[in-house]
Amino acid sequence: MSTNASDPLAALGALPGVTDAVDSVRKAVDRVYGHRVMRRRANEVASEAALRGARASAALSGADWALEEVRRRTDFGGEGEAPTVGAALRLTAEAGQLLSIWRQSPLRVLARLHLVAAGGAAPDDTAGRPRLVGEKVDEPLIEAPLPDADEVAGRLDGLSGLVIAGSSAPALVIASVVHGELLALRPFSSSNGLVARAAERIVLVGSGLDPKSICPAEVGHAELGRAAYVAAFDGYLSGSPEGMAAWIAHCGRAVELGVRESTAVCEALQRGAA
């Protein structure tokens, strides 16, 4: 990708179409934060956004449960799709506890996210650490070539360095790159999509774009559909300016759809229907 040495992410914010996406997201977020319900019931909106975001992230990973089933269920153990839904719920809850650590130690946060996602399901020696040479990856949605362990280690260090150094790039750009890079690398033995989307949430919240965590991008990604998600991700993988811009714009649209979801929650609360 075309970047500058002092702030490699900043150039992405100037790509054709990206500025418009950033502006559109900012306006959408501002509108929902200005809703009258947010003055007194922001915590309720955030709780509902977390639940809906977790459900959506699990759906993208192959466990497409109805929202009320996720709300009702208390046991997410066993076989089948339940562990995926449980992992998504745990990650959403954990993400809020890791905001202060992210900018100082993103690799530590990613390790913690995978450990939480694994929840005892992954072998003890693979949970919470990047994969080693020869270890397999269970990530059925993403079929792109898998980088080897050495490349993963180097690119994770590079991503960590970018986060720690900080950037003048808009939050949407940074979140999209973190999300895309983790999908590209699939650094863990499992749950990489769930971890990537949780990391995207951490960036959006920690950057101040969505400080109350009420704009679940995961909902938008799921609503746009798995095929569109993969197609946009192919643009990220290409590394071309057009492909990168398409991925960032896709992530922006996902945030806007998450905003729409939370706006509906606000309206329901205002009517006394939620």
Side-chain angles (χ1 to χ4, degrees):
M1 67 186 72
S2 176
T3 60
N4 65 69
S6 60
D7 190 353
L9 297 175
L12 297 177
L15 289 174
V18 172
T19 299
D20 289 343
V22 168
D23 289 344
S24 184
V25 165
R26 178 75 268 174
K27 290 175 182 176
V29 172
D30 285 346
R31 282 195 299 271
V32 72
Y33 269 81
H35 197 288
R36 61 187 302 176
V37 166
M38 288 294 295
R39 298 173 193 168
R40 296 184 178 179
R41 305 183 72 175
N43 288 342
E44 293 174 69
V45 179
S47 294
E48 189 65 18
L51 181 70
R52 295 181 185 214
R55 189 218 71 81
S57 190
L60 283 169
S61 288
D64 192 359
W65 286 19
L67 179 63
E68 292 311 313
E69 175 66 9
V70 178
R71 196 190 305 279
R72 178 191 67 80
R73 191 78 167 258
T74 57
D75 178 11
F76 296 96
E79 301 296 326
E81 297 177 352
T84 299
V85 179
L89 288 166
R90 291 192 301 272
L91 282 173
T92 299
E94 187 72 13
Q97 309 301 313
L98 298 172
L99 294 172
S100 62
I101 305 173
W102 173 255
R103 282 293 300 274
Q104 286 74 43
S105 185
L107 296 185
R108 179 181 165 194
V109 168
L110 293 175
R112 175 62 185 168
L113 288 174
H114 185 250
L115 191 64
V116 168
D124 290 343
D125 63 343
T126 66
R129 66 156 176 79
R131 56 187 167 84
L132 303 177
V133 175
E135 290 182 340
K136 295 182 179 180
V137 173
D138 179 16
E139 193 62 50
L141 179 60
I142 305 300
E143 298 179 353
L146 196 65
D148 63 35
D150 288 340
E151 182 179 351
V152 167
R155 287 173 64 176
L156 280 178
D157 284 343
L159 182 64
S160 176
L162 289 176
V163 171
I164 293 170
S167 173
S168 63
L172 174 65
V173 172
I174 300 170
S176 300
V177 169
V178 168
H179 184 171
E181 190 69 356
L182 292 173
L183 283 184
L185 295 179
R186 281 149 288 160
F188 302 108
S189 60
S190 61
S191 302
N192 289 287
L194 295 175
V195 168
R197 291 184 288 275
E200 179 186 45
R201 172 181 285 268
I202 287 172
V203 175
L204 292 172
V205 175
S207 67
L209 176 64
D210 179 24
K212 296 184 185 295
S213 194
I214 61 165
C215 306
E218 305 97 322
V219 169
H221 286 303
E223 186 170 337
L224 290 166
R226 298 176 84 187
Y229 185 71
V230 172
F233 172 62
D234 284 343
Y236 179 87
L237 283 179
S238 75
S240 69
E242 296 80 10
M244 295 295 293
W247 169 247
I248 294 167
H250 181 88
C251 291
R253 181 60 179 150
V255 175
E256 291 187 64
L257 290 171
V259 167
R260 188 176 71 178
E261 186 86 355
S262 287
T263 301
V265 170
C266 287
E267 295 294 332
L269 289 170
Q270 186 168 282
R271 294 191 307 268

